[in-house]
Coordinates of all heavy atoms in Angstrom, one line a residue:
M748 N 108.8 145.4 61.7 CA 108.1 145.8 62.8 C 108.8 145.5 64.1 O 109.3 144.5 64.3 CB 106.7 145.1 62.8 CG 105.8 145.6 63.8 SD 104.2 144.6 63.7 CE 103.1 145.9 63.3
K749 N 108.9 146.5 65.0 CA 109.7 146.4 66.2 C 108.8 145.8 67.3 O 107.6 146.1 67.4 CB 110.1 147.8 66.7 CG 111.4 148.3 66.2 CD 111.7 149.5 67.0 CE 113.1 149.9 66.7 NZ 113.5 151.2 67.4
P750 N 109.4 144.9 68.1 CA 108.6 144.4 69.2 C 108.4 145.4 70.3 O 109.1 146.4 70.4 CB 109.4 143.2 69.8 CG 110.8 143.5 69.3 CD 110.7 144.3 68.0
Q751 N 107.3 145.3 71.1 CA 107.0 146.2 72.1 C 108.1 146.2 73.2 O 108.4 145.2 73.7 CB 105.6 145.9 72.7 CG 105.1 146.9 73.7 CD 104.7 148.2 73.1 OE1 104.6 148.3 71.9 NE2 104.5 149.2 73.9
Q752 N 108.6 147.4 73.4 CA 109.7 147.5 74.4 C 109.1 147.9 75.7 O 108.3 148.8 75.8 CB 110.7 148.6 74.0 CG 111.5 148.2 72.7 CD 112.4 147.1 72.9 OE1 113.0 146.9 74.0 NE2 112.6 146.3 71.9
D753 N 109.5 147.2 76.8 CA 109.0 147.6 78.1 C 109.8 148.7 78.7 O 111.0 148.8 78.4 CB 109.1 146.4 79.1 CG 108.2 145.2 78.7 OD1 107.2 145.5 78.1 OD2 108.6 144.1 79.0
S754 N 109.2 149.6 79.4 CA 109.9 150.7 80.0 C 110.7 150.3 81.2 O 110.5 149.2 81.8 CB 108.9 151.8 80.4 OG 108.1 151.4 81.4
R755 N 111.6 151.1 81.7 CA 112.4 150.8 82.8 C 111.5 150.7 84.1 O 111.7 149.9 85.0 CB 113.4 151.8 83.1 CG 114.5 151.8 82.1 CD 115.6 152.8 82.4 NE 116.6 152.9 81.4 CZ 117.5 153.8 81.4 NH1 117.6 154.7 82.3 NH2 118.4 153.8 80.4
L756 N 110.5 151.6 84.1 CA 109.6 151.6 85.3 C 108.8 150.3 85.4 O 108.7 149.7 86.5 CB 108.7 152.7 85.2 CG 107.7 152.9 86.4 CD1 108.5 153.2 87.7 CD2 106.8 154.1 86.1
L757 N 108.4 149.7 84.3 CA 107.6 148.5 84.3 C 108.5 147.3 84.7 O 108.1 146.5 85.5 CB 107.0 148.2 82.9 CG 106.2 147.0 82.7 CD1 104.9 147.1 83.6 CD2 105.8 146.8 81.3
R758 N 109.7 147.3 84.2 CA 110.7 146.2 84.6 C 111.0 146.3 86.1 O 111.1 145.3 86.8 CB 111.9 146.3 83.8 CG 111.7 145.8 82.4 CD 113.0 145.8 81.7 NE 113.6 147.2 81.6 CZ 114.3 147.7 80.6 NH1 114.6 146.9 79.6 NH2 114.7 148.9 80.7
L759 N 111.2 147.6 86.6 CA 111.5 147.8 88.0 C 110.3 147.3 88.9 O 110.5 146.6 89.9 CB 111.8 149.2 88.3 CG 112.1 149.6 89.7 CD1 113.5 149.1 90.0 CD2 112.1 151.1 89.9
V760 N 109.1 147.7 88.5 CA 107.9 147.3 89.3 C 107.7 145.8 89.3 O 107.4 145.2 90.3 CB 106.7 148.1 88.9 CG1 105.4 147.5 89.5 CG2 106.8 149.6 89.2
S761 N 107.9 145.2 88.1 CA 107.7 143.8 88.1 C 108.8 143.0 88.9 O 108.5 142.0 89.5 CB 107.8 143.3 86.6 OG 109.0 143.5 86.0
R762 N 110.0 143.5 88.9 CA 111.0 142.9 89.8 C 110.7 143.1 91.3 O 110.8 142.2 92.1 CB 112.4 143.6 89.5 CG 113.5 142.9 90.2 CD 114.8 143.3 89.7 NE 115.0 142.9 88.4 CZ 115.8 143.6 87.5 NH1 116.5 144.6 87.9 NH2 115.9 143.1 86.3
F763 N 110.2 144.3 91.6 CA 109.8 144.5 93.0 C 108.6 143.6 93.4 O 108.6 143.1 94.5 CB 109.4 146.0 93.2 CG 110.5 146.9 93.4 CD1 110.3 148.3 93.3 CD2 111.8 146.5 93.7 CE1 111.3 149.2 93.5 CE2 112.8 147.4 93.9 CZ 112.6 148.8 93.7
L764 N 107.7 143.4 92.5 CA 106.5 142.6 92.8 C 107.0 141.1 93.0 O 106.5 140.4 93.9 CB 105.5 142.7 91.7 CG 104.2 141.9 91.9 CD1 103.5 142.3 93.1 CD2 103.4 142.0 90.6
K765 N 107.9 140.7 92.1 CA 108.4 139.3 92.2 C 109.1 139.1 93.6 O 108.8 138.1 94.3 CB 109.4 139.1 91.1 CG 110.0 137.7 91.2 CD 111.0 137.4 90.0 CE 112.3 138.0 90.3 NZ 113.4 137.6 89.3
Y766 N 110.0 140.0 94.0 CA 110.7 139.8 95.3 C 109.7 140.0 96.5 O 109.9 139.4 97.5 CB 111.9 140.7 95.3 CG 113.0 140.2 94.4 CD1 113.5 141.0 93.4 CD2 113.5 138.9 94.5 CE1 114.5 140.6 92.6 CE2 114.5 138.5 93.7 CZ 115.0 139.3 92.7 OH 115.9 138.8 91.9
F767 N 108.8 140.9 96.3 CA 107.8 141.0 97.4 C 107.0 139.7 97.6 O 106.8 139.3 98.8 CB 106.9 142.2 97.1 CG 105.8 142.5 98.1 CD1 106.2 143.0 99.4 CD2 104.5 142.2 97.9 CE1 105.2 143.3 100.3 CE2 103.5 142.4 98.9 CZ 103.9 143.0 100.1
L768 N 106.5 139.1 96.5 CA 105.8 137.9 96.7 C 106.6 136.8 97.1 O 106.2 135.9 97.9 CB 105.1 137.6 95.3 CG 104.0 138.5 94.9 CD1 103.5 138.2 93.5 CD2 102.9 138.5 95.9
L769 N 107.9 136.7 96.7 CA 108.8 135.7 97.2 C 109.1 135.9 98.7 O 109.1 134.9 99.5 CB 110.1 135.7 96.5 CG 110.1 135.1 95.1 CD1 111.5 135.4 94.4 CD2 109.9 133.6 95.2
A770 N 109.2 137.1 99.2 CA 109.4 137.4 100.6 C 108.1 137.0 101.4 O 108.3 136.4 102.5 CB 109.7 138.9 100.8
L771 N 106.9 137.3 100.9 CA 105.7 136.8 101.6 C 105.7 135.3 101.7 O 105.3 134.8 102.7 CB 104.5 137.3 100.8 CG 104.1 138.8 101.0 CD1 102.8 139.1 100.2 CD2 103.9 139.1 102.5
F772 N 106.0 134.6 100.6 CA 106.0 133.2 100.6 C 107.0 132.7 101.6 O 106.8 131.7 102.4 CB 106.3 132.7 99.2 CG 106.2 131.2 99.1 CD1 105.0 130.5 99.2 CD2 107.4 130.4 98.9 CE1 104.9 129.2 99.1 CE2 107.3 129.0 98.8 CZ 106.0 128.4 98.9
G773 N 108.2 133.3 101.7 CA 109.2 132.9 102.6 C 108.8 133.1 104.1 O 109.1 132.3 105.0
L774 N 108.1 134.3 104.3 CA 107.7 134.6 105.7 C 106.6 133.6 106.1 O 106.5 133.2 107.2 CB 107.1 136.0 105.7 CG 108.1 137.1 105.8 CD1 107.5 138.4 105.6 CD2 108.9 137.0 107.1
A775 N 105.7 133.2 105.1 CA 104.7 132.2 105.5 C 105.3 130.8 105.8 O 104.9 130.2 106.8 CB 103.7 132.0 104.3
I776 N 106.3 130.4 105.1 CA 107.0 129.2 105.4 C 107.7 129.2 106.7 O 107.7 128.3 107.5 CB 108.0 128.8 104.3 CG1 107.2 128.4 103.0 CG2 108.9 127.7 104.7 CD1 108.1 128.2 101.8
A777 N 108.4 130.4 107.0 CA 109.1 130.5 108.3 C 108.1 130.6 109.4 O 108.4 130.0 110.5 CB 109.9 131.8 108.3
Y778 N 106.9 131.2 109.3 CA 105.9 131.2 110.3 C 105.4 129.8 110.6 O 105.3 129.4 111.8 CB 104.8 132.1 109.9 CG 103.7 132.3 111.0 CD1 104.0 133.0 112.1 CD2 102.5 131.7 110.8 CE1 103.0 133.2 113.1 CE2 101.5 131.8 111.8 CZ 101.8 132.6 112.9 OH 100.8 132.7 113.9
I779 N 105.1 129.0 109.5 CA 104.6 127.7 109.7 C 105.7 126.8 110.4 O 105.4 126.0 111.3 CB 104.1 127.1 108.4 CG1 102.9 127.8 107.9 CG2 103.9 125.6 108.5 CD1 102.5 127.5 106.5
A780 N 106.9 127.0 110.0 CA 108.0 126.2 110.6 C 108.2 126.5 112.0 O 108.4 125.7 112.9 CB 109.3 126.4 109.8
S781 N 108.1 127.8 112.4 CA 108.3 128.2 113.8 C 107.1 127.7 114.6 O 107.3 127.3 115.8 CB 108.4 129.7 113.9 OG 107.2 130.4 113.6
M782 N 105.9 127.7 114.1 CA 104.8 127.1 114.8 C 105.0 125.6 115.0 O 104.6 125.1 116.1 CB 103.5 127.4 114.1 CG 103.2 128.9 114.0 SD 102.9 129.7 115.5 CE 101.2 129.3 115.7
S783 N 105.5 124.9 114.0 CA 105.6 123.5 114.2 C 106.8 123.1 115.1 O 106.7 122.0 115.7 CB 105.8 122.8 112.8 OG 107.1 123.2 112.3
F784 N 107.8 124.0 115.2 CA 108.9 123.7 116.1 C 108.6 124.2 117.6 O 109.5 124.1 118.4 CB 110.2 124.2 115.6 CG 110.7 123.5 114.4 CD1 111.1 124.2 113.3 CD2 110.8 122.1 114.4 CE1 111.6 123.6 112.2 CE2 111.3 121.5 113.3 CZ 111.7 122.2 112.2
G785 N 107.5 124.8 117.8 CA 107.1 125.3 119.1 C 107.6 126.6 119.5 O 107.7 127.0 120.7
A786 N 107.9 127.5 118.6 CA 108.4 128.8 118.9 C 107.2 129.8 118.7 O 107.2 130.8 118.1 CB 109.5 129.2 117.9
V787 N 106.1 129.5 119.4 CA 104.9 130.2 119.3 C 105.0 131.6 119.8 O 104.6 132.6 119.2 CB 103.7 129.5 120.0 CG1 102.4 130.3 120.0 CG2 103.5 128.1 119.5
H788 N 105.7 131.8 121.0 CA 105.8 133.1 121.6 C 106.7 134.0 120.8 O 106.5 135.2 120.6 CB 106.4 133.0 123.0 CG 105.5 132.3 123.9 ND1 104.2 132.7 124.3 CD2 105.6 131.1 124.6 CE1 103.6 131.9 125.1 NE2 104.5 130.9 125.3
F789 N 107.8 133.4 120.2 CA 108.7 134.2 119.3 C 107.9 134.6 118.1 O 108.1 135.8 117.6 CB 109.9 133.3 119.0 CG 110.9 134.1 118.2 CD1 111.6 135.1 118.7 CD2 111.1 133.7 116.9 CE1 112.6 135.8 118.0 CE2 112.1 134.4 116.1 CZ 112.8 135.4 116.7
A790 N 107.1 133.8 117.5 CA 106.4 134.1 116.3 C 105.3 135.2 116.6 O 105.2 136.1 115.8 CB 105.7 132.9 115.7
F791 N 104.7 135.1 117.7 CA 103.6 136.1 118.0 C 104.3 137.4 118.4 O 103.6 138.4 118.2 CB 102.8 135.6 119.2 CG 101.8 134.5 118.7 CD1 101.4 133.5 119.6 CD2 101.2 134.6 117.5 CE1 100.5 132.6 119.2 CE2 100.2 133.6 117.1 CZ 99.9 132.6 118.0
T792 N 105.5 137.4 118.9 CA 106.2 138.6 119.2 C 106.6 139.4 117.9 O 106.4 140.6 117.9 CB 107.4 138.4 120.1 OG1 107.0 137.6 121.2 CG2 108.1 139.6 120.5
L793 N 107.0 138.7 117.0 CA 107.5 139.3 115.7 C 106.3 139.6 114.7 O 106.5 140.4 113.8 CB 108.5 138.4 115.0 CG 109.8 138.3 115.7 CD1 110.7 137.4 114.9 CD2 110.5 139.7 115.8
L794 N 105.2 139.0 114.9 CA 104.1 139.2 114.0 C 103.6 140.6 113.8 O 103.5 141.0 112.6 CB 102.9 138.3 114.4 CG 101.8 138.0 113.4 CD1 102.5 137.3 112.1 CD2 100.7 137.2 113.9
P795 N 103.4 141.4 114.8 CA 103.0 142.8 114.6 C 104.0 143.6 113.8 O 103.7 144.4 113.0 CB 102.8 143.4 116.0 CG 102.6 142.2 116.9 CD 103.4 141.1 116.3
F796 N 105.3 143.4 114.1 CA 106.4 144.1 113.5 C 106.5 143.8 112.0 O 106.5 144.6 111.1 CB 107.7 143.8 114.2 CG 108.9 144.4 113.5 CD1 109.1 145.7 113.6 CD2 109.8 143.6 112.8 CE1 110.2 146.3 112.9 CE2 110.9 144.2 112.1 CZ 111.1 145.5 112.2
V797 N 106.4 142.5 111.7 CA 106.4 142.0 110.3 C 105.2 142.5 109.5 O 105.3 142.9 108.4 CB 106.6 140.5 110.3 CG1 106.4 139.9 108.9 CG2 107.9 140.1 110.8
F798 N 104.0 142.4 110.2 CA 102.8 142.8 109.5 C 102.8 144.3 109.2 O 102.4 144.7 108.1 CB 101.6 142.5 110.4 CG 100.3 142.9 109.8 CD1 99.8 142.2 108.7 CD2 99.6 144.0 110.2 CE1 98.6 142.5 108.1 CE2 98.4 144.4 109.7 CZ 97.9 143.6 108.6
T799 N 103.4 145.1 110.1 CA 103.5 146.6 109.8 C 104.3 146.8 108.6 O 104.0 147.6 107.7 CB 104.0 147.3 111.0 OG1 103.2 147.0 112.2 CG2 104.1 148.8 110.8
W800 N 105.5 146.2 108.5 CA 106.4 146.4 107.4 C 105.8 145.8 106.1 O 106.0 146.5 105.0 CB 107.8 145.8 107.7 CG 108.6 146.7 108.5 CD1 108.8 146.7 109.8 CD2 109.3 147.9 108.0 NE1 109.6 147.8 110.2 CE2 109.9 148.5 109.1 CE3 109.4 148.5 106.8 CZ2 110.6 149.7 109.0 CZ3 110.1 149.7 106.6 CH2 110.7 150.3 107.7
V801 N 105.2 144.7 106.1 CA 104.6 144.1 104.9 C 103.5 145.0 104.4 O 103.4 145.2 103.2 CB 104.2 142.7 105.2 CG1 103.3 142.1 104.1 CG2 105.4 141.7 105.4
W802 N 102.7 145.5 105.3 CA 101.6 146.4 104.9 C 102.1 147.6 104.2 O 101.6 148.1 103.2 CB 100.8 146.7 106.2 CG 99.7 147.8 105.9 CD1 99.8 149.0 106.4 CD2 98.5 147.6 105.2 NE1 98.6 149.7 105.9 CE2 97.8 148.8 105.2 CE3 97.9 146.5 104.5 CZ2 96.6 149.0 104.6 CZ3 96.7 146.8 103.9 CH2 96.1 148.0 104.0
R803 N 103.1 148.3 104.8 CA 103.7 149.5 104.2 C 104.4 149.2 102.9 O 104.2 150.0 101.9 CB 104.7 150.1 105.2 CG 104.0 150.7 106.4 CD 105.0 151.3 107.3 NE 104.4 151.8 108.5 CZ 105.0 152.3 109.6 NH1 106.3 152.3 109.6 NH2 104.3 152.7 110.6
L804 N 105.1 148.2 102.8 CA 105.8 147.9 101.5 C 104.8 147.5 100.5 O 104.9 147.8 99.3 CB 106.8 146.7 101.7 CG 108.1 147.1 102.5 CD1 108.9 145.9 102.7 CD2 108.8 148.2 101.8
G805 N 103.7 146.8 100.9 CA 102.7 146.4 99.9 C 101.9 147.7 99.4 O 101.6 147.7 98.2
L806 N 101.7 148.6 100.3 CA 101.0 149.8 99.9 C 101.9 150.7 98.9 O 101.4 151.2 97.9 CB 100.7 150.7 101.1 CG 99.8 151.9 100.9 CD1 98.4 151.4 100.3 CD2 99.6 152.6 102.2
I807 N 103.2 150.7 99.2 CA 104.1 151.4 98.3 C 104.2 150.7 97.0 O 104.2 151.4 95.9 CB 105.5 151.5 99.0 CG1 105.5 152.5 100.1 CG2 106.6 151.9 97.9 CD1 106.8 152.5 101.0
L808 N 104.2 149.4 97.0 CA 104.3 148.6 95.7 C 103.0 148.8 94.9 O 103.0 149.0 93.7 CB 104.5 147.2 96.0 CG 104.6 146.3 94.8 CD1 105.8 146.7 94.0 CD2 104.7 144.8 95.3
F809 N 101.8 148.9 95.6 CA 100.6 149.1 94.9 C 100.6 150.5 94.3 O 100.1 150.7 93.1 CB 99.4 149.0 95.9 CG 98.1 149.3 95.3 CD1 97.5 148.4 94.5 CD2 97.4 150.5 95.5 CE1 96.3 148.6 93.9 CE2 96.2 150.8 95.0 CZ 95.6 149.8 94.1
C810 N 101.1 151.5 95.0 CA 101.2 152.9 94.4 C 102.1 152.9 93.1 O 101.8 153.5 92.1 CB 101.7 153.9 95.4 SG 100.5 154.2 96.7
L811 N 103.2 152.2 93.2 CA 104.1 152.1 92.1 C 103.5 151.4 90.9 O 103.6 151.8 89.7 CB 105.4 151.3 92.5 CG 106.5 152.1 93.2 CD1 107.6 151.2 93.6 CD2 107.0 153.2 92.3
I812 N 102.7 150.4 91.2 CA 102.0 149.7 90.1 C 100.9 150.6 89.5 O 100.8 150.6 88.2 CB 101.3 148.4 90.6 CG1 102.3 147.3 91.0 CG2 100.3 147.8 89.6 CD1 101.8 146.1 91.7
A813 N 100.2 151.4 90.3 CA 99.3 152.3 89.7 C 99.9 153.4 88.9 O 99.4 153.7 87.8 CB 98.5 153.0 90.9
I814 N 101.1 153.9 89.3 CA 101.8 154.9 88.5 C 102.3 154.3 87.2 O 102.2 154.9 86.2 CB 103.0 155.4 89.4 CG1 102.5 156.3 90.5 CG2 104.0 156.2 88.5 CD1 103.5 156.7 91.5
T815 N 102.7 153.0 87.3 CA 103.2 152.4 86.1 C 102.1 152.2 85.1 O 102.2 152.4 83.9 CB 103.8 151.0 86.4 OG1 104.9 151.2 87.4 CG2 104.4 150.3 85.2
V816 N 100.9 151.8 85.6 CA 99.8 151.6 84.7 C 99.4 152.9 84.0 O 99.1 152.9 82.8 CB 98.6 151.0 85.5 CG1 97.3 151.1 84.7 CG2 98.9 149.5 85.9
I817 N 99.3 154.0 84.8 CA 99.0 155.3 84.2 C 100.1 155.7 83.2 O 99.7 156.2 82.1 CB 98.8 156.3 85.3 CG1 97.6 156.0 86.2 CG2 98.7 157.7 84.8 CD1 97.5 156.8 87.4
F818 N 101.3 155.5 83.5 CA 102.4 155.9 82.6 C 102.4 155.1 81.3 O 102.5 155.6 80.3 CB 103.7 155.7 83.4 CG 104.9 156.1 82.5 CD1 105.2 157.4 82.2 CD2 105.8 155.1 82.0 CE1 106.3 157.8 81.4 CE2 106.9 155.5 81.2 CZ 107.1 156.8 80.9
E819 N 102.2 153.8 81.5 CA 102.1 153.0 80.3 C 100.9 153.2 79.4 O 100.9 153.0 78.2 CB 102.2 151.5 80.7 CG 103.6 151.0 81.2 CD 104.6 151.1 80.1 OE1 104.3 150.7 78.9 OE2 105.7 151.5 80.4
S820 N 99.8 153.6 80.0 CA 98.6 153.9 79.2 C 98.8 155.2 78.4 O 98.2 155.3 77.3 CB 97.4 154.0 80.1 OG 97.4 155.2 80.9
F821 N 99.6 156.1 78.9 CA 99.9 157.3 78.1 C 100.8 157.1 77.0 O 100.9 157.8 76.0 CB 100.4 158.5 79.0 CG 99.3 159.1 79.8 CD1 99.5 159.4 81.1 CD2 98.1 159.4 79.2 CE1 98.5 160.0 81.9 CE2 97.1 160.0 80.0 CZ 97.3 160.3 81.3
R822 N 101.7 156.0 77.1 CA 102.7 155.7 76.1 C 102.1 155.1 74.9 O 101.5 154.9 74.1 CB 103.6 154.7 76.7 CG 105.1 155.0 76.5 CD 105.9 154.1 77.2 NE 105.9 152.8 76.6 CZ 107.0 152.1 76.4 NH1 108.2 152.6 76.7 NH2 107.0 150.9 75.8

């Protein structure tokens, strides 16, 4: 009996999800560190830019996850 083989799309999406969550964690640590060192104005200036990109990348990742779920359910 063969073990279940993961598709390339599933491996790609899981890798994207891993790095997206690591990036979010890193941004949270950088934001807390900048707030503690007194760079409040710099952090507030970059916050809308970072939020826009995180929102868009998260939405693209969510669509990729949905496509992967549909594709794997047909397999």
Side-chain angles (χ1 to χ4, degrees):
M748 188 178 239
K749 273 188 169 179
Q751 184 71 9
Q752 297 291 327
D753 293 334
S754 66
R755 288 183 185 173
L756 183 61
L757 183 64
R758 287 186 299 213
L759 180 73
V760 168
S761 65
R762 187 171 293 153
F763 280 164
L764 182 63
K765 178 179 82 170
Y766 288 123
F767 180 73
L768 292 176
L769 282 172
L771 280 180
F772 186 68
L774 284 172
I776 290 174
Y778 183 74
I779 291 170
S781 69
M782 296 295 276
S783 66
F784 289 131
V787 177
H788 296 298
F789 184 68
F791 284 146
T792 304
L793 289 178
L794 195 61
F796 176 72
V797 170
F798 181 73
T799 303
W800 277 100
V801 167
W802 172 253
R803 288 179 183 173
L804 289 174
L806 191 60
I807 290 170
L808 184 61
F809 179 74
C810 291
L811 278 174
I812 290 171
I814 290 169
T815 303
V816 167
I817 292 169
F818 179 73
E819 287 295 318
S820 68
F821 285 134
R822 227 172 73 131

